[in-house]
Each structure stands twice: as C-alpha cells, then as structure tokens.
Amino acid sequence: MNMMTGAQILVEALKKEGVDVIFGLPGGAILPVFDVLYDSDIRFILVRHEQCSAHMAEGYAKASGRVGVCMVTSGPGATNLVTGITDAYMDSVPIVAFTGQVPRSMIGKDGFQEADIIGITMPITKYNVQIRSAKEIPYEVKKAFFLASTGRTGPVLIDLPKDTQTETTVPEFPEKVSVRGYHPDHEPHPLQVKKAAQLLLKGEKPLILAGGGVISSNASPELMAVAEHLVAPVATSLMGKGAIPENHPLSLGVLGMHGTREANKLILEADLLLAVGLRFSDRTTGKFDEFASDCKIIHIDIDAAEIGKNVPADIPLVTDAKRGLKDLYKALTELSDKKDNTTWMKRVQELRDLFRSEPEVKDSNLKPPKLMKELRSLLPPDTIVTTEVGQNQMWASLFFKVYKPRTFITSGGLGTMGFGFPAAIGAKVAVPNVPVVDIAGDGSFIMTEQELACSVTEEIPVVVLVLNNRMLGMVAQWQRLFYQRRYSAVELGDVPDFVKLAEAYGAQGMRVQSYEEFRKAVNEAVKSEVTTVIDVPISPEENVFPMVPAGKSLRETITGE
Ligand SMILES: Cc1ncc(C[n+]2csc(CCOP(=O)(O)OP(=O)(O)O)c2C)c(N)n1
C-alpha cells in the first residue's frame, strides 16, 4: 500500500464495504473527503437539510436490507442529523453517519462550528467514535458497518476531525473485525426451543405477534411456516407490517393503539402469545400490565435487554427472528403434525366477518379509509409505501394492505413528522424499479418538503400523496376527543398551495376532488418520470378509528360509533 490521506483511506474503506451511494451535504470541516469523492464512483446525493440525509439513509436501508450511509459537516451539519439518528436508533435501522469535526488541536476550544457530536449522540447510537489518527480509519469503518448491520441493527456515527482527513499514512485494511464482548449471533438454546414448541402445541388459542425484527432478519418465510403449522393468526406491530402478506387468511393486521378491531379483540381471548422480533412498544401493547395478561408468552428477540423489559416472558429465546423461528418450526414438526385449530379459527373468522361487514359511511367527502383501499388496488404489489406521522400514518397502517416485507416504511418509535418523504427518496434509490409512494399529511410534508429540490435534480421520482386536512390532524383528533374540541395551535390553513409548491421545485402537482380523479392522478403519477405531489383535500373533522386512548388497555378501544 502507498501513503494515502485520511480522506482517501475513508473513501477506499467505504468502497470495500460496497457503499455505492451516500446522502448528505458538505461543509468546511469535511471538505477533504468531498474532494476525494469528486473522483470516486460513489453516487453522492445532495440533500437540502441534513436531517433528511439520515432519513434517506434509513429509507435506503429499510427497503434494501443494506446499510444506509450519510455524511455531513461539523457543528450544525452534525446536530441537524440528531433527529434522523434517533429515529434510526428507535427503529433499529442500520445506518452509518459520518460527520466532519474541527481539527484535533481545536477540539474543546469552541472553534467555529464545533459541536460535541460524540457526547450528543452517545445515547442514540449503537456505537460512536471520534477518529484520532488517519491510521484508525480502516478499522473503525469496518467496525462501524459490522456493528450497524449485525445483532440488533442500528445507527453508528464516525466523527472525523479535519486534520485526520489530510494526515497521510500507509493504511492497513482489515478483512474483518471482532469486538470484545459483542457476540451478535446468538443460537437459541435447544431446550428452550423444545419447551416453547411444547407450549405452543398445548395452546388452544395461540396468537403470533410479529415485529420489525422479522422483517430486518428476512424471517417472513419462517414466520409463515410456524403460523401455518400451528394454524395461528398473526398480528403485527407497526414495524412488523408486511411480515405476513395482509391478504393471507391468517393475517389480522396491526395490533395496538390504532390496531384492527379483530387483532385487539383476539389478543384478549388468546391463551398463548408468540411474540417475535419486537420490543413491546406501548403503542402496540397499550397499558403494559394489562397486556396479554391471560396469555403464556414466548418472546423471541435478538436483544436480551428487551426480554422482560415491558412485558414478562414465560419462555424467552434470545436469538434473531429467523434463527429462532427456524428452530422452532423444526421442533414443532418433530413433535406433531399440523395443528387442528378449527374452533379458534372459526372465532377469528367470526370477528373478521363482523368487523368487515360494517357499512361504508356515505358522505360526499373523500374518505381516507376508502382512499387507502383504492390506492392499494391501483399500485403493483411490490410498491414501496412510506408514511409521515399522524392520522395519515394510521390510516395507511389500518387500511393500506401490505403484501411484502420491506414495502412499508414508517417512523414507529420516534414518530418523526417529515420522515416519509426523504425516506421515500432513499427507498427509491435502493429499489429504483418499483413505484415509491409517500402517504403524507400536510403538516408533516411541509417539514421536509425542500427535498423536492433533491428528488427533482437527482432524478429520483417518487409520489407524495398529501391527505390535506389543513390541520395537524392527529393532534386535532386528540383535542377533539379529549380536550373538548379546544383546537390549540393545530390549524394550518390552506397553505401552501401544494400544486404550485411542487411546480416551483420543478416537480409535478395535481389536485383531486373525486375518487375518479384520484385514480387517474395515481395512475399518472406512478408512471411519471418526475416526482409528483397529489393534493387530496379531506375534511379536517376526520378521525382515525379504532383507537385506544394513550395509557389505556387494548380493552378500551374507541370505535367512533
Ligand atoms: C417532528 C414532530 N413534531 C411534532 C409531532 C407531534 N405530532 C404528532 S402527529 C402530529 C400532526 C401531524 O399532522 P399532519 O402531518 O398534517 O398529519 P395528519 O395527522 O393531519 O394526517 C403532530 C404535530 C411529531 N410527531 N413530530
């Protein structure tokens, strides 16, 4: 190896990790790296706000299963990443973020654009490190990708003082790294697996709850095998949506605060819960101590810290979802033939029929549930949908059926408004041949709408469907239901004009007033070679139902009737 600068070493190390795209925005403290990128084959996607570079990296990672990469400058560039990194941390999304930093001699001296990004991101990264010499770069980059993508996946940050980027050294690129005390490949204990299988076979009313871990470990086939052997209905968390095709006879849809009525009811009747790849978020469980209190619980999770944190488990299995379900399936088939669960499945069907037979509300306004169903029928099955946060997200979760893993991308843990649009851009970069649609609220879209400039100039066409209620709708819904309609700071007014806004950025804008116009617009938008914003005015009075009020148990579902 020849002498190389730290910046050259970094770019070489990224290539060795197979990185072909980086999202970000430059600045003084990271200029040496950008100068090397100028000559490299790595595609650099220039964002208009650093927060969005992290969300794009998340969208890229979630859609593809590969690590997403973002890169920004020091100080404000770095601090603008914080929301995106926290979002990735909460939802276990594998991203690696690079930040520039003031030169080593300036650290701690309040230099121009210095921020202690290591201190700031300590609690929101799986690992972070400040480079102290150019020599460390190959090892730290390898380690960053290893940590981000293994075990419970998550964000890693590398901070690069400017002079480590210009320092020269002869690099040594390691083939692999091992991190002391970090053993991400847990094998499930065979006796525990056997015990779990025995318990599952004993259960008369088993229910499976699948989380994001099933999707991130590509464990859907194993999930289906277990579910079909047990003839057990499957509900998912919001992050697990897509783990089972939602048109499968065993699918119950999403469970929780805005879960389907059948899922929330059946969990109260089940005697056995197999929870896999999920952290029992309060949005999924409702009140912790009343959740599944009549069930025996088997909990599979790669992160031992999740076991018993929110909900106690009778049988814990610390392993990733794929491995856990595979071993469980083997044990089940060794112990018995496919189960006969006729009585339980009859009950499942009974509830399903009951709730699905509810008549649709007759109203001349465009209704979000119907819009979601129409949208599904217009889009190919492998379309990737992202969402913003609020009512739009919950309508999508409840009424837009997802058929494949990695095709529903949303901000679950942090609930970040403004996530969906940049995540859609990242997803489209990762999987360019399928349509990508962001289901948005007006308030959320306005938060990161500037990335229209990015998507137009970088030629990354996505569709943004704005369910436009001129309100911070979800907050308004809570004020309507729990604060006697005292609408405090939720009215946005008819601003901006989304058609003109899209056009101002060189994108395409459309407004629809009827289902027919909606269908036409969606068909045109998914074929368009430029990003299209479809403005769909809906009533500001719409509520998302069913709903479980915050802090209540799933027993206390409000249906709006
Ligand atoms: C960054 C951020 N700020 C505030 C909130 C709190 N919040 C949750 S939902 C919501 C309203 C969202 O409004 P909009 O995007 O218009 O979607 P709608 O609920 O109307 O579909 C707000 C303000 C949040 N989740 N994220």
Side-chain angles (χ1 to χ4, degrees), residues 468-531:
N468 184 356
N469 52 10
R470 283 81 63 209
M471 282 277 197
L472 295 172
M474 189 55 106
V475 182
Q477 173 166 343
W478 286 44
Q479 291 178 348
R480 191 151 53 235
L481 296 178
F482 311 120
Y483 294 87
Q484 297 79 45
R485 289 184 173 263
R486 287 156 55 84
Y487 291 130
S488 183
V490 290
E491 277 144 320
L492 296 168
D494 220 344
V495 173
D497 176 328
F498 284 104
V499 174
K500 286 191 183 150
L501 179 83
E503 287 169 359
Y505 280 110
Q508 188 172 209
M510 303 175 184
R511 180 166 298 117
V512 302
Q513 309 283 3
S514 66
Y515 291 110
E516 202 187 321
E517 284 175 14
F518 177 74
R519 287 189 281 268
K520 218 172 127 233
V522 171
N523 282 334
E524 206 175 303
V526 292
K527 279 190 236 124
S528 170
E529 281 173 15
V530 66
T531 287

Side-chain angles (χ1 to χ4, degrees), residues 333-392:
T333 48
E334 278 166 11
L335 288 171
S336 111
D337 292 338
K338 189 170 164 173
K339 269 199 89 174
D340 171 25
N341 259 347
T342 326
T343 324
W344 179 226
M345 282 315 289
K346 256 199 197 136
R347 175 70 181 144
V348 172
Q349 197 51 44
E350 189 180 285
L351 285 178
R352 223 183 242 145
D353 293 344
L354 176 70
F355 298 136
R356 294 205 181 144
S357 64
E358 284 168 11
E360 249 173 41
V361 195
K362 290 268 176 287
D363 187 331
S364 58
N365 288 319
L366 293 174
K367 294 282 169 193
K370 178 156 179 193
L371 287 167
M372 294 297 103
K373 291 175 199 163
E374 290 271 342
L375 185 67
R376 175 71 282 175
S377 69
L378 295 168
L379 298 173
D382 53 357
T383 302
I384 295 174
V385 159
T386 66
T387 81
E388 300 296 342
V389 168
Q391 293 180 309
N392 59 86

